[in-house]
Amino acid sequence: MKKPTPVEYLRTISANSADAFQALRAAVVKSGPLDSHTVELIVLGGLVTAGSERSFRTHALRLLKDKVDPQALRQAVLVTLAASASFNQVVSALEWVDDVIREVEQAA
């Protein structure tokens, strides 16, 4: 059984909170000139630093399903090195990218 995403889980507790969170995220994404892929790549970098593997995988999967080059995901991870993330955090996140790539390939 597939584990629900954090938003799906939140929806089981409070649908209004889940809707409000998604509305906030949509407003932030639309608040400036960055395209959605660039925004998602920035989010990946933040999730590396936060060590948030589950959310990282969700956003990475979204990008790969949108046909974003896997090298873009890897670069988004690498640019955090020595800026906001440790060596170990970056290596772990690169492994997460590889895992998600395999997941997409197996689903195809």
Side-chain angles (χ1 to χ4, degrees):
M1 176 186 271
K2 185 178 176 190
K3 192 172 185 177
T5 67
V7 173
E8 290 168 344
Y9 178 74
L10 177 59
R11 185 166 303 288
T12 67
I13 306 299
S14 172
N16 288 339
S17 296
D19 291 344
F21 173 77
Q22 289 184 309
L24 172 63
R25 289 286 303 139
V28 169
V29 168
K30 294 176 184 174
S31 70
L34 297 176
D35 64 82
S36 63
H37 291 162
T38 302
V39 170
E40 287 292 324
L41 290 167
I42 292 168
V43 168
L44 281 187
L47 294 170
V48 170
T49 302
S52 185
E53 180 178 356
R54 189 168 169 201
S55 293
F56 180 96
R57 288 175 181 268
T58 297
H59 288 270
L61 184 60
R62 185 177 300 152
L63 285 163
L64 292 173
K65 285 183 176 179
D66 279 349
K67 307 297 184 211
V68 172
D69 186 335
Q71 284 303 109
L73 280 68
R74 290 184 178 111
Q75 184 179 9
V77 170
L78 286 170
V79 297
T80 67
L81 184 60
S84 59
S86 70
F87 179 81
N88 288 337
Q89 286 173 307
V90 168
V91 170
S92 291
L94 290 169
E95 291 171 343
W96 302 341
V97 170
D98 289 341
D99 291 345
V100 175
I101 290 168
R102 278 190 294 278
E103 181 181 329
V104 168
E105 289 171 347
Q106 289 173 353

